């Protein structure tokens, strides 16, 4: 743990110590725009005790598209 003073590098900017969520994530991003949120950034969980039955690939596709649209709209609101 640790190293010598010669091992030290000054980095101008911000260093985010974040584990990779997926192996295909880029190791380095240049000229990135960042948004720091203090709230969850995901679709809200249903607050009911109802059960959702997906009985076909088409029903799953529609649910997936609705979730993607919700997320895209959230991103657009942050950008605006």
């Amino acid at each position: 743990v640790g190293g010598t003073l010669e091992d030290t590098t000054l980095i101008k900017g911000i260093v985010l110590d974040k584990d990779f969520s997926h192996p295909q994530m880029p190791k380095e991003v240049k000229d990135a725009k960042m948004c720091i949120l203090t709230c969850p950034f995901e679709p809200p969980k249903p607050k009911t005790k109802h059960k959702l039955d997906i009985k076909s690939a088409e029903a799953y596709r529609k649910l997936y598209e609705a979730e993607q649209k919700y997320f895209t709209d959230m991103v657009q609101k942050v950008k605006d």
Side-chain angles (χ1 to χ4, degrees), residues 45-68:
K45 303 277 189 265
K47 295 182 180 179
T48 63
K49 295 182 180 181
H50 297 288
K51 184 177 176 185
L52 179 64
D53 288 327
I54 304 292
K55 296 184 179 185
S56 69
E58 178 65 20
Y60 177 81
R61 186 185 63 74
K62 286 182 180 180
L63 176 63
Y64 177 79
E65 287 175 358
E67 288 177 341
Q68 291 300 308

Side-chain angles (χ1 to χ4, degrees), residues 27-40:
K27 306 277 187 270
E28 183 176 321
V29 179
K30 294 185 178 189
D31 299 323
K33 294 181 181 178
M34 292 180 52
C35 177
I36 299 174
L37 302 172
T38 59
C39 60

Side-chain angles (χ1 to χ4, degrees), residues 16-27:
L16 298 175
D17 186 18
K18 168 89 171 76
D19 294 330
F20 291 104
S21 302
H22 193 277
Q24 292 180 339
M25 287 178 67
K27 306 277 187 270

